Structures are given as C-alpha cells and as structure tokens.
Amino acid sequence: QVQLVESGGGLVQPGGSLRLSCAASGVTLRIRVMGWFRQAPGKGREFVAAYDWNGGTPDYADSVKGRFAVSRDNAKKTVYLQMNSLKPEDTAVYYCAASNYNPAIYNYWGRGTQVTVSS
C-alpha cells in the first residue's frame, strides 16, 4: 500500500504562485508514475500533470503548460507541483495520485488540498 498526503494549498490572488507537495509513504518502490489531478466545484476530476518516477519529461495538461511544473525530491519521497501565474479557473481541490504501472493506472490517491485563486 502507498499513502499520499498533499499539502501547500491555500488562497492566492490571480497571478500569484503556490507550491503543492505530495509526500509518499508505504510501499513506494513499486511506484512508476506520480500524477496531479484537480476537481473544480461542479466539475469532474481532470488531469493536471504526470511525472515518471524513473525520470523523463513530465506531461502536462494544455491548460497548465508553461505555468505549472512538476519536480521531486527522492530522499523525501515527495513530488511537488509548482503553480505560477495562477488564474481563477485554477481554483479546485488538487489531488496527488500514484501508479504502479506505466502507462499509468492510478492505484492510490491522496485526500486533496484546496487551492483558491481569487482577489
């Protein structure tokens, strides 16, 4: 089993930045892909970004390309989502997910962290 805990959400003004963290624990050796998803009020969950645990180029949704960046700290088993130039439409609950497979089938999910972009 893998446990995922997100942190770093909050209220930010349009144009601002936030960095989300996702700390993984448990049986992390099998993780192949880490992903970020979000769900806005009244909408379905959508893909934001994915990171190959073994390296490679991250994958991003078109809506966040050039503004969001994924990185990781191997020692801390933590993946980060740096979000810049935030827009009101980025407001959502952000979830971290892990897959033991590549292509990803996300087996494990965190509980989410709220990001609100508003003036």
Side-chain angles (χ1 to χ4, degrees), residues 82-104:
Q82 178 67 43
M83 306 186 296
N84 300 324
S85 301
L86 283 162
K87 305 174 182 179
E89 51 262 45
D90 294 317
T91 295
V93 178
Y94 283 71
Y95 297 91
C96 174
S99 170
N100 290 342
Y101 307 97
N102 192 356

Side-chain angles (χ1 to χ4, degrees), residues 36-82:
W36 286 97
F37 293 77
R38 65 187 182 186
Q39 187 166 16
K43 295 187 178 181
R45 189 173 295 184
E46 66 170 348
F47 169 78
V48 174
Y51 190 96
D52 187 330
W53 200 249
N54 294 319
T57 303
D59 187 25
Y60 298 98
D62 288 343
S63 58
V64 307
K65 278 182 182 177
R67 300 189 298 122
F68 290 12
V70 179
S71 62
R72 71 173 182 176
D73 183 325
N74 286 350
K76 295 182 179 179
K77 297 181 182 179
T78 299
V79 175
Y80 303 98
L81 181 67
Q82 178 67 43

Side-chain angles (χ1 to χ4, degrees), residues 7-20 38-41 67-68 83 85-94 112-119:
S7 61
L11 173 64
V12 63
Q13 292 186 344
S17 298
L18 279 176
R19 188 178 78 159
L20 305 183
R38 65 187 182 186
Q39 187 166 16
R67 300 189 298 122
F68 290 12
M83 306 186 296
S85 301
L86 283 162
K87 305 174 182 179
E89 51 262 45
D90 294 317
T91 295
V93 178
Y94 283 71
T113 185
Q114 176 71 47
V115 172
T116 302
V117 185
S118 175
S119 55

